[in-house]
């Protein structure tokens, strides 16, 4: 069982390395958005696209077990999107992303947002060749989640604490949630925002701009 | 890849059949609680245990990637619990449950609540030998989830729409959420409740009592 998993992951990693090299050659910032189902990934993307589409080139790969809804929402917001349906599959794999990119054709210097299947477990193990994983964690989920899903919170470079507009109505200790995340991953960047109201998005946009700049500077490194 | 998955599932199903026969022989109602992370499974169990511990014999198997927190919460609420940690694993399997039962030693005529790893994808494929799957779906997750995770909503006998106390603060169309679930699974039983306030729990308790009675009547069938 373990041997098998190792073999599947090794095969995935080879595809991921190819994706990563292609992104690097094309100076594309690729972000792998991971979270529980319903934590607000698509809403986050919709607002980001509406706000930044004149400033940054945004492309989206949507991963879902079923339906084409999220791809349609993204296109309605103003970005090109390719929808992948995984069927019974619980995560995106690097070769799926590679094929999606052939259809999506993201421009040089763009940002490719990959919205993974809503699942706080399996996508942690599958490198897609992204620059980093962005874990979205909504305040309705309980502050213990980083401790209970340490693989994912350990694998992410940035944690977006979402739905902060709901803080008055839920029992959620923000300081403890952040401490739990830092216990698992001391270097994790933490942003707080509300996809619904837009509160906190400027810091997210600044982070995106900084990452795009850093990538451009590193293209020949 | 598919052959392999079939082989793993066949092995799991054999263990599940044994668990099911053991539950039947012992007249135990075994329920497999499945959901996204943070949809309120543990809080639902805590309240159920506090309210029903003098009326029904309740035992709990807790599945998490890491930590012993939920098992501790359940014991503090007043029920015996065994905690399973799956490490990088994304779901419980039937042989894990079989081993947990040896430690838990649930009494004849009891209810065994199995809280699966928070994951709306993988646990759908793994039969544990339970009487049925109970899917918990909180109103903060968006009404499209049954359509986006059809395997799980198709596999469950009952859907608990949780956190209804938050309905005034989120955009969530209850009627559409239920219609989406029924589109995937026309026979699914739907209950609405709030683990936080206790609203709606009487219908859940009535459902449990009815299931316990039905099981007793069917023990020799």
């Amino acid at each position: 069982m373990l041997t098998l998993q190792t073999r599947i992951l090794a095969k995935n990693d080879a595809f991921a390395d190819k994706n990563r090299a292609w992104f690097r050659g094309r100076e594309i910032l690729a972000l792998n958005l991971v979270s529980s189902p319903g934590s607000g990934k698509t809403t986050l993307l919709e607002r980001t696209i509406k706000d930044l589409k004149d400033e940054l080139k945004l492309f989206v790969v949507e991963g879902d077990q079923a339906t084409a809804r999220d791809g349609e929402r993204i296109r309605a917001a103003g970005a090109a999107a390719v929808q992948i349906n995984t069927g019974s599959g619980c995560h995106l794999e690097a070769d799926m992303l590679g094929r999606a990119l052939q259809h999506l054709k993201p421009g040089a210097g763009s940002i490719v947002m990959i919205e993974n299947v809503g699942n706080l477990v399996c996508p942690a193990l599958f490198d897609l060749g992204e620059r980093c994983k962005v874990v979205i964690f909504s305040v309705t989920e309980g502050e213990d989640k980083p401790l209970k899903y340490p693989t994912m919170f350990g694998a992410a470079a940035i944690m977006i604490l979402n739905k902060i507009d709901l803080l008055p109505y839920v029992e959620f200790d923000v300081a403890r949630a952040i401490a739990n995340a830092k216990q698992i991953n001391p270097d994790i960047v933490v942003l707080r925002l509300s996809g619904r109201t837009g509160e906190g998005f400027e810091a997210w946009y600044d982070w995106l701009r900084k990452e795009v700049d850093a990538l451009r500077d590193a293209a020949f490194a």
Side-chain angles (χ1 to χ4, degrees), chain A:
Chain A
M1 192 51 200
L2 266 180
T3 321
L4 164 87
Q5 202 182 51
T6 309
R7 220 180 328 143
I8 292 173
L9 289 176
K11 199 178 144 198
N12 180 73
D13 285 348
F15 279 112
D17 285 343
K18 266 179 35 182
N19 289 345
R20 196 179 339 272
W22 190 82
F23 285 135
R24 207 154 141 255
R26 218 169 163 76
E27 296 181 32
I28 286 175
L29 174 64
L31 300 174
N32 185 355
L33 276 65
V34 290
S35 79
S36 303
S39 64
K41 294 186 296 301
T42 316
T43 305
L44 174 91
L45 287 177
E46 286 176 313
R47 185 178 286 275
T48 303
I49 291 161
K50 284 178 190 158
D51 287 347
L52 297 189
K53 66 183 164 193
D54 295 330
E55 177 188 344
L56 298 170
K57 291 176 274 182
L58 294 160
F59 292 81
V60 177
V61 176
E62 280 292 336
D64 281 297
Q65 280 202 284
T67 82
R69 305 167 76 89
D70 285 357
E72 288 157 14
R73 286 174 59 185
I74 293 299
R75 282 186 284 268
V82 165
Q83 176 84 49
I84 300 174
N85 282 152
T86 60
S88 66
C90 51
H91 59 270
L92 293 177
E93 296 189 9
D95 65 330
M96 298 176 191
L97 176 63
R99 277 177 277 135
L101 292 170
Q102 291 172 21
H103 293 278
L104 189 62
K105 299 182 172 50
S110 62
I111 299 179
V112 173
M113 302 278 200
I114 307 151
E115 185 180 337
N116 219 311
V117 178
N119 178 340
L120 219 38
V121 185
C122 316
L125 298 176
F126 288 82
D127 182 10
L128 303 179
E130 71 270 5
R131 168 82 159 188
C132 66
K133 289 186 176 65
V134 178
V135 63
I136 292 96
F137 170 24
S138 86
V139 303
T140 61
E141 296 171 34
E143 63 267 352
D144 59 350
K145 291 304 162 294
L147 303 178
K148 291 176 70 180
Y149 300 86
T151 318
M152 184 61 89
F153 285 83
I158 170 169
M159 173 175 102
I160 294 184
L161 203 56
N162 194 15
K163 305 194 190 179
I164 57 170
D165 56 299
L166 293 178
L167 279 173
Y169 315 113
V170 294
E171 283 153 42
F172 185 88
D173 182 334
V174 170
R176 188 187 291 180
I178 295 173
N180 287 343
K182 299 238 176 202
Q183 181 184 325
I184 299 298
N185 183 347
D187 298 325
I188 200 163
V189 173
V190 177
L191 300 179
R192 312 171 196 197
L193 52 79
S194 163
R196 193 176 165 209
T197 67
E199 188 186 344
F201 268 68
E202 264 314 312
W204 161 237
Y205 298 154
D206 285 342
W207 184 87
L208 284 175
R209 292 179 189 112
K210 211 186 59 196
E211 290 292 313
V212 167
D213 289 345
L215 200 81
R216 206 162 290 152
D217 295 342
F220 300 97

